[in-house]
Amino acid sequence: MIAVSSTDQLLAAIQRAREVTLSACTLRAGVILDALEAACRRGTEVTLRLEGRPFGDPSGELLEANQAAVSAVKRLGGDASLQDVDDSAGEAPLHMKAAVVDGVAFLDDRNWPSDGEDFIVRDSFPGDAGAIVDALRGDRSGPNRFFWTHKSDALSGEACLLYGATHARGVEIESESFGYSRRVYGAIKLLAEHHVSVRLLVSARDLNPKEQQALERLQQAGVDVRTCDLDEKMALVENRAWIGSSNATFGVDDQIDWGLRTDAPPVLATLHARFGYNWSAGTQLTQTEQ
């Protein structure tokens, strides 16, 4: 069962848990780390995995926060470590924001912030929780039509939803970062060629010239493009949705990330409302001078 959840519900689950596994690209001091430390003190089996080379961290502040979180959990008896510390380790980058609490998965689109502005999904399908744990152990799960734990698979799932929308009344897509991906960019271009109304929303924070060029080409093809200050990732096609932590960029195919396809009405209603709010707060993409 897939349902909309919240930080408070995750915290309540951790408080009564026997086993907790949590991953993130970065984890700052806050309510989630406090809950993991408290769980360790209660004797809960806690596993924490964080990225060892966080993206966009020139000052080293994010790595320092990850190191502090790992040290705090290890000091209390938990199993905590950094992943992808250097190229020689042969580990995949870790971008997945997920928790498994006594066999139930909680999936976040951000790095477990304390402001309550993230979107969390509760996933009680045992296979999905197992796939998360396997991915963090370095094992890739088998094919799944609706849930994925690596970036290439997650984006293929998103693209599959989009390629099947050539007769849809409209499509809404949001990504923190965007680029000439083999999957999502091509699917959006196809929808534009089929005269499907597409609204694409991308975060302005990390906009670079190559990303700008990709967005401009889609805009010229008929896609309505806006930028915003948010960093959610979703694709909405009428009564179906894809959500995840995977950005619509090339990236590293074996990067540990999550993606989920769902038609659960409460989740769809929440996503449509969030996209509508984000869209109204966005700014039309401005074409660069040629």
Side-chain angles (χ1 to χ4, degrees):
M1 179 177 173
I2 307 297
V4 177
S5 190
S6 66
T7 299
D8 286 344
Q9 290 176 345
L10 172 60
L11 294 174
I14 292 175
Q15 191 170 24
R16 58 178 180 270
R18 298 182 303 277
E19 296 182 19
V20 177
T21 296
L22 188 138
S23 69
C25 183
T26 61
L27 185 64
R28 298 177 183 272
V31 294
I32 298 298
L33 182 55
D34 291 346
L36 295 179
E37 292 182 64
C40 287
R41 294 188 184 96
R42 290 193 301 271
T44 301
E45 185 177 328
V46 174
T47 301
L48 176 65
R49 295 291 180 265
L50 302 175
E51 170 61 26
R53 294 186 286 181
F55 178 76
D57 186 30
S59 69
E61 178 186 355
L62 300 180
L63 175 57
E64 185 177 335
N66 283 357
Q67 291 171 330
V70 166
S71 296
V73 171
K74 287 182 70 173
R75 187 165 53 246
L76 294 169
D79 175 4
S81 64
L82 298 177
Q83 180 151 325
D84 183 39
V85 176
D86 58 62
D87 290 324
S88 64
E91 295 178 326
L94 175 59
H95 193 254
M96 180 167 64
K97 298 86 170 169
V100 176
V101 183
D102 288 342
V104 176
F106 292 83
L107 307 167
D108 199 351
D109 62 347
R110 295 175 62 197
N111 284 294
W112 309 109
S114 298
D115 59 12
E117 294 300 319
D118 48 342
F119 180 72
I120 300 176
V121 173
R122 184 181 186 275
D123 179 350
S124 59
F125 289 108
D128 296 352
I132 292 169
V133 173
D134 287 344
L136 295 175
R137 290 173 177 165
D139 300 327
R140 194 156 186 158
S141 59
N144 189 318
R145 291 179 58 196
F146 304 108
F147 182 70
W148 309 274
T149 57
H150 290 77
K151 180 166 185 168
S152 59
D153 298 332
L155 293 184
S156 291
E158 182 179 11
C160 183
L161 175 65
L162 296 175
Y163 274 115
T166 53
H167 298 290
R169 293 186 300 274
V171 173
E172 298 167 331
I173 305 160
E174 185 171 351
S175 182
E176 179 181 1
S177 302
F178 193 84
Y180 291 108
S181 68
R182 296 188 298 271
R183 302 167 180 89
V184 179
Y185 176 88
I188 296 173
K189 190 77 178 295
L190 178 69
L191 292 176
E193 292 169 357
H194 281 75
H195 306 291
V196 176
S197 173
V198 179
R199 299 197 294 178
L200 173 61
L201 190 59
V202 176
S203 173
R205 183 175 56 251
D206 299 321
L207 204 60
N208 58 54
K210 193 168 185 179
E211 183 172 345
Q212 175 80 22
Q213 184 184 61
L215 295 173
E216 286 184 12
R217 289 190 177 182
L218 290 177
Q219 191 178 60
Q220 291 162 4
V223 176
D224 195 355
V225 182
R226 291 187 183 183
T227 60
C228 64
D229 294 327
L230 304 166
D231 50 13
E232 296 185 298
K233 300 98 178 167
M234 67 180 82
L236 308 174
V237 180
E238 297 173 346
N239 62 347
R240 292 164 291 161
W242 176 97
I243 48 176
S245 62
S246 305
N247 285 297
T249 56
F250 270 112
V252 181
D253 277 357
D254 66 346
Q255 176 173 291
I256 301 173
D257 248 334
W258 70 270
L260 171 70
R261 181 170 167 173
T262 181
D263 59 1
V267 177
L268 287 169
T270 302
L271 288 173
H272 278 292
R274 289 178 75 95
F275 183 90
Y277 177 83
N278 296 348
W279 183 260
S280 66
T283 303
Q284 199 73 28
L285 180 72
T286 303
Q287 294 273 334
T288 55
E289 295 183 5
Q290 300 298 318

